[in-house]
Amino acid sequence: AQSGFPVLANSATEIINTVLLQDRRVLLYGPPGAGKSVMAAQLGLALDASGRDCWCVSADPGSPAFGMPGAVSLGRWTAGGWRVSAFEGLATLDAGRFRLPLLVAVQRLLQTRLDGVVLIDGPGVVRGVAGRELLTGLLEATGADAVLVMTGADRAPALAAELAGAAAEVFAVPAAAAASRPAKRVRARRRSGQWDDYLGDAVEQTI
């Protein structure tokens, strides 16, 4: 075990066979670049292949896995990707500073009954007061009963004490060797692309 938490391989199959034998809500938690969004997509693909429904809340407004920047989006894995079914605008990219609006948005998206596995792809805020408040708030707002803590090689999970005191089951998952945080310019270009995709069907009007 790592810091007292069971350690799982970075494998969607092992996680499903260990954690997701039944439908439940799972928080993916860890620092930026630890591979949370990649793991969420792998789980969505594997669950869909076995005929199970999988939903995901993209809760990082600065680097969303899907949907638009500056928002929290709810997606269902369909035809090889996340299809947005609802979103809540935040008008900010800063999850650490605007924690309360983020938590309220996540809670609103999860008010609807969702059948299947529900993943919460958390923001990479894992230090200080902001990290502690976000972790506690996300667990309460989502009702997650399991946490997958993505960690770097030979590193203890962030906020291990807070995780140990949580009511949810906690599992440590070492980040994939190729996992890394994209450079600032790459993240900016990705956000621009996501905005362009969202506005692709928009109608331009001149007043």
Side-chain angles (χ1 to χ4, degrees), residues 112-205:
T112 304
R113 176 183 173 85
L114 301 174
D115 294 324
V117 172
V118 180
L119 306 174
I120 300 93
D121 186 2
V125 182
V126 298
R127 296 181 179 179
V129 174
R132 289 192 291 273
E133 287 185 353
L134 262 179
L135 174 59
T136 303
L138 282 170
L139 288 170
E140 183 173 348
T142 63
D145 59 357
V147 182
L148 298 179
V149 188
M150 312 294 291
T151 64
D154 301 322
R155 293 186 179 180
L159 300 181
E162 286 75 8
L163 287 166
E169 285 189 284
V170 180
F171 302 87
V173 181
S180 63
R181 188 183 190 189
K184 186 175 181 179
R185 289 185 178 180
V186 174
R187 299 199 304 273
R189 286 197 298 268
R190 185 176 297 171
R191 282 195 294 266
S192 295
Q194 289 173 312
W195 270 117
D196 291 341
D197 290 342
Y198 173 68
L199 296 173
D201 297 328
V203 177
E204 183 174 341
Q205 295 182 337

Side-chain angles (χ1 to χ4, degrees), residues 28-130:
L28 281 75
Y29 172 78
K36 299 184 295 295
S37 299
V38 172
M39 177 53 67
Q42 291 175 351
L43 290 171
L45 179 63
L47 289 165
D48 182 65
S50 63
R52 297 174 64 185
D53 289 335
C54 185
W55 299 81
C56 183
V57 176
S58 179
D60 187 346
S63 297
F66 57 89
M68 74 198 78
V72 175
S73 299
L74 173 66
R76 182 180 182 182
W77 189 269
T78 306
W82 298 114
R83 181 176 180 180
V84 176
S85 61
F87 66 88
E88 291 280 339
L90 295 178
T92 180
L93 304 177
D94 192 339
R97 183 177 179 184
F98 295 95
R99 302 185 291 278
L100 181 57
L102 173 68
L103 294 172
V104 171
V106 169
Q107 192 170 45
R108 285 177 177 170
L109 288 177
L110 292 176
Q111 286 178 345
T112 304
R113 176 183 173 85
L114 301 174
D115 294 324
V117 172
V118 180
L119 306 174
I120 300 93
D121 186 2
V125 182
V126 298
R127 296 181 179 179
V129 174

Side-chain angles (χ1 to χ4, degrees), residues 10-34:
N10 194 296
S11 161
T13 300
E14 178 167 342
I15 291 172
I16 290 172
N17 290 338
T18 304
V19 183
L20 298 175
L21 291 174
Q22 297 179 341
D23 293 342
R24 61 196 308 189
R25 292 187 176 187
V26 181
L27 172 64
L28 281 75
Y29 172 78

